[in-house]
């Protein structure tokens, strides 16, 4: 009997031939065969499905077939994984145990050994989903995505030059994803929640996806996307800096904050409101920060100004910036208390926005 692993490998490798593969198969039958039982799959099975099949389908699917193939495949995956990962991470951080659905293959033993294996399964799937998002944001799949101006100059966006989000959907996979709300909602929730999941490797992968989302928000006239970037993603990036596990990616998180503020502060009040909501910041501090930004065209110097303001505004509580040592990407489960983990977390439910209350 053929194993899932073998069949997945064959299907994934077959997808690398491109057009002939996608045009010769019935996409509906493939989608049903792969995804109809995703909600009952163990985490290890979903990770295998993503790693061996879906990543290849995403990489090699012709743009003119994204609509037919990817929406059917990715929607059930992202909806289920957002809910399952959120639940398991919440359990891990608040109860000390991931409570994954995997029943087989976990070696019987002490409770601690089981907890370690459960956490590994959770982290493996989290990283695989974030890898998929990173691949979707790769340059080869987003040829139509404009490059950000890196001069560092404050320039007002010409509102007449902004395009509808739909205009990016055939030349940018991230644009395609965001143009389909049923796909965008679970993915954007995952991208925000990942900042709080104490896994620097996952955050490293998802940050490249967030960069592409920021570029689309800057370049399009989509109001919902602009508001998401200006408030929710900005708040989440700051929240991510409170976790020492994100020290390995802290420079990129500060870079995301800089890009959001520079490019969005004239189009939306939220970036200033987010900064002013920090516990130790004053309007005078924000004015001085903006004045300092206008006096340099160096992105590196502007990032340093952003870092200094965030440290000031949070009373030096950003552990990712304060960490002076290397941080292991896999937490040693036995080295931390199992009953109480003081990790800030923001719940993101339907219709709920992301605020800074969770880190203050």
């Amino acid at each position: 009997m053929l194993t899932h692993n073998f069949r997945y490998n064959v299907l994934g490798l077959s997808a690398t031939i491109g057009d002939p593969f996608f045009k010769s198969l019935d996409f509906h039958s493939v989608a049903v065969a792969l995804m109809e039982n995703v909600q009952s799959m163990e985490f290890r099975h979903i990770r295998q499905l993503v790693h061996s099949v879906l990543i290849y389908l995403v990489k090699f699917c012709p743009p003119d077939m994204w609509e037919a193939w990817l929406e059917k495949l990715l929607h059930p995956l992202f909806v289920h994984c957002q809910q399952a990962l959120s639940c398991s991470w919440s359990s891990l951080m608040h109860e000390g145990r991931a409570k994954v659905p995997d029943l087989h293959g976990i070696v019987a033993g002490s409770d601690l050994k089981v907890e370690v294996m459960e956490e590994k399964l959770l982290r493996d799937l989290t990283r695989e989903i974030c890898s998929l998002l990173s691949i979707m944001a790769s340059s080869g799949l987003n040829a139509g995505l404009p490059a950000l101006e890196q001069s560092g100059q404050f320039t007002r966006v010409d509102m007449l030059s902004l395009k509808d989000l739909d205009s990016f959907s055939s030349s940018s996979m991230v644009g395609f994803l965001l143009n389909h709300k049923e796909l965008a909602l679970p993915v954007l929730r995952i991208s925000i929640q990942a900042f709080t999941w104490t896994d620097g490797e996952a955050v490293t992968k998802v940050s490249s996806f967030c960069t592409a989302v920021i570029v689309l928000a800057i370049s399009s006239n989509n109001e919902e996307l602009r508001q998401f970037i200006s408030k929710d993603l900005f708040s989440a990036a700051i929240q991510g800096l409170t976790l020492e596990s994100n020290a390995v990616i802290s420079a990129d998180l500060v870079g995301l904050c800089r890009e959001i503020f520079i490019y969005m502060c004239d189009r939306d009040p939220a970036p200033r409101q987010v900064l002013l909501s920090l516990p130790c910041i004053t309007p005078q501090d924000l004015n001085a920060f903006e004045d300092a930004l206008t006096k340099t065209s160096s992105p590196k110097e502007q990032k340093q100004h952003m870092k200094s303001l965030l440290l000031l505004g949070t009373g030096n509580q950003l552990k990712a910036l304060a960490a002076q040592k290397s941080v292991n990407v896999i937490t040693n489960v036995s080295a931390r208390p199992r009953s109480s983990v003081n990790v800030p977390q923001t719940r993101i439910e339907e219709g709920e926005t992301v605020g800074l209350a969770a880190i203050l």
Side-chain angles (χ1 to χ4, degrees):
M1 182 177 179
L2 297 179
T3 64
H4 284 304
N5 188 46
F6 178 79
R7 285 179 289 185
Y8 285 167
N9 285 338
V10 170
L11 185 59
L13 292 175
S14 298
T16 63
I17 67 175
D19 276 36
F21 171 85
F22 290 94
K23 292 179 179 177
S24 62
L25 292 181
D26 175 17
F27 65 85
H28 179 73
S29 299
V30 174
V32 170
L34 291 176
M35 307 307 298
E36 67 174 345
N37 296 316
V38 68
Q39 292 185 342
S40 60
M41 288 182 186
E42 296 181 338
F43 276 13
R44 72 180 81 234
H45 189 170
I46 298 176
R47 178 189 175 277
Q48 186 179 346
L49 172 63
V50 174
H51 184 79
S52 300
V53 181
L54 297 182
I55 282 179
Y56 288 97
L57 294 178
V58 164
K59 277 185 176 181
F60 295 98
C61 185
D64 62 346
M65 302 201 75
W66 287 352
E67 191 80 34
W69 276 83
L70 299 187
E71 185 177 5
K72 303 288 190 304
L73 288 167
L74 297 180
H75 178 252
L77 174 77
F78 287 139
V79 168
H80 173 66
C81 285
Q82 186 273 319
Q83 296 170 349
L85 291 177
S86 178
C87 181
S88 290
W89 274 105
S90 178
S91 177
L92 176 64
M93 292 189 288
H94 293 292
E95 302 174 30
R97 186 162 181 173
K99 295 182 180 178
V100 301
D102 299 59
L103 299 176
H104 304 289
I106 296 182
V107 179
S110 68
D111 288 344
L112 181 59
K113 288 182 179 179
V114 172
E115 290 176 15
V116 170
M117 181 57 70
E118 287 178 333
E119 182 172 342
K120 183 180 185 303
L121 290 168
L122 172 59
R123 291 184 183 276
D124 286 347
L125 178 58
T126 301
R127 293 169 184 175
E128 202 65 53
I129 293 297
C130 290
S131 291
L132 177 59
L133 294 180
S134 177
I135 288 169
M136 294 183 75
S138 61
S139 58
L141 297 177
N142 294 273
L145 209 59
L148 281 183
E149 172 59 51
Q150 292 298 318
S151 68
Q153 296 286 354
F154 271 100
T155 55
R156 290 188 176 276
V157 176
D158 180 4
M159 302 302 289
L160 295 178
S161 69
L162 301 180
K163 302 178 181 179
D164 291 336
L165 193 57
D166 181 65
S167 66
F168 296 100
S169 62
S170 62
S171 58
S172 164
M173 184 166 286
V174 177
F176 166 81
L177 187 151
L178 296 180
N179 196 48
H180 291 74
K181 197 167 185 176
E182 67 280 2
L183 282 174
L185 288 176
V187 167
L188 293 179
R189 290 191 182 107
I190 291 171
S191 67
I192 283 183
Q193 290 175 315
F195 288 113
T196 71
W197 283 342
T198 64
D199 194 299
E201 185 175 331
V203 176
T204 299
K205 297 176 186 299
V206 84
S207 64
S208 62
F209 176 80
C210 291
T211 297
V213 175
I214 291 172
V215 173
L216 280 165
I218 294 169
S219 306
S220 74
N221 56 12
N222 187 281
E223 184 176 348
E224 289 180 304
L225 186 58
R226 187 198 76 227
Q227 292 174 347
F228 169 81
I229 293 298
S230 299
K231 182 179 181 181
D232 298 349
L233 184 58
F234 194 25
S235 299
I238 297 173
Q239 186 174 351
L241 289 168
T242 66
L243 303 179
E244 188 175 348
S245 59
N246 289 334
V248 293
I249 192 65
S250 60
D252 286 353
L253 295 185
V254 173
L256 291 180
C257 292
R258 169 200 167 266
E259 290 175 357
I260 292 170
F261 188 84
I262 282 184
Y263 290 102
M264 303 304 255
C265 66
D266 284 338
R267 293 173 58 185
D268 197 290
R272 289 185 176 90
Q273 292 169 353
V274 167
L275 291 176
L276 286 172
S277 72
L278 298 175
C280 302
I281 202 171
T282 67
Q284 291 74 27
D285 295 327
L286 182 58
N287 290 336
F289 164 71
E290 293 193 47
D291 185 53
L293 288 184
T294 62
K295 291 179 179 179
T296 177
S297 60
S298 166
K300 183 177 180 180
E301 291 180 6
Q302 290 175 344
K303 284 176 65 176
Q304 184 58 47
H305 287 312
M306 177 61 74
K307 176 181 176 180
S308 298
L309 181 73
L310 293 175
L311 286 170
L312 170 68
T314 57
N316 290 313
Q317 294 301 306
L318 300 182
K319 296 178 182 179
L321 296 178
Q324 298 299 316
K325 61 181 179 178
S326 298
V327 178
N328 292 328
V329 294
I330 298 182
T331 303
N332 184 341
V333 185
S334 61
R336 57 187 171 85
R338 304 306 298 172
S339 59
S340 176
V341 183
N342 295 321
V343 177
Q345 184 185 19
T346 298
R347 292 176 62 251
I348 303 163
E349 306 292 350
E350 187 72 35
E352 189 173 6
T353 57
V354 179
L356 289 172
I359 68 172
L360 305 180

